[in-house]
Amino acid sequence: MPICTCTPARGTLTAAAEARLAADITRIHADINKVPPTYVDVVFSELPQDSVFVGGRPGTPLLISGWARRGHPQTETTRLALERSAAASRIAGVPQDRVMVVIQDSPARSAVEAGRVLPDPGEEAEGLDG
């Protein structure tokens, strides 16, 4: 269900760091939003270093964007962003001031996975099976 896209400049993350970050993002999301880890999708999409800019100048930020079903308490969504940012900084060795995390949400019924409309948070037993 949740989709998290990590966008580093090429060479920022090793394959091992990507695997550790994907595992941590999955654990964090599953713990905070109380869903099975199998619900969490993490994708890495590297960009050439000359294609990433911060403040109009070449930079090497680690951008993490995600989608989640609307309906989770805002305090949990903020915690999710903070914990993802801390994990990314720790695992990638990227300073916190170079990590940006954004979590967007929309109604669960706006998404389909495995041919099924997603259930609202808390209604997973009635909809998508783990």
Side-chain angles (χ1 to χ4, degrees):
M1 279 186 260
I3 302 166
C4 182
T5 303
C6 301
T7 309
R10 189 167 292 127
T12 301
L13 298 174
T14 64
E18 285 183 358
R20 286 193 314 274
L21 184 53
D24 243 24
I25 286 171
T26 299
R27 179 193 54 75
I28 290 165
H29 194 99
D31 288 350
I32 292 173
N33 286 341
K34 297 167 185 52
V35 297
T38 55
Y39 280 18
V40 183
D41 298 302
V42 180
V43 177
F44 289 86
S45 179
E46 288 187 332
L47 295 174
Q49 286 195 354
D50 61 356
S51 295
V52 183
F53 294 82
V54 176
R57 296 178 178 210
T60 55
L62 176 52
L63 309 171
I64 302 174
S65 60
W67 176 83
R69 298 169 295 157
R70 186 169 294 151
H72 294 287
Q74 183 59 53
T75 55
E76 290 181 5
T77 301
T78 300
R79 184 173 148 223
L80 185 64
L82 287 168
E83 289 194 25
R84 282 182 180 179
S85 179
S89 179
R90 183 182 68 254
I91 291 168
V94 173
Q96 281 272 10
D97 65 353
R98 287 188 20 223
V99 178
M100 179 174 190
V101 178
V102 176
I103 299 173
Q104 299 175 338
D105 65 5
S106 63
R109 304 273 174 219
S110 295
V112 173
E113 184 174 28
R116 296 175 282 187
V117 175
L118 298 184
D120 289 328
E123 296 181 5
E124 290 85 358
E126 299 170 21
L128 188 65
D129 296 320

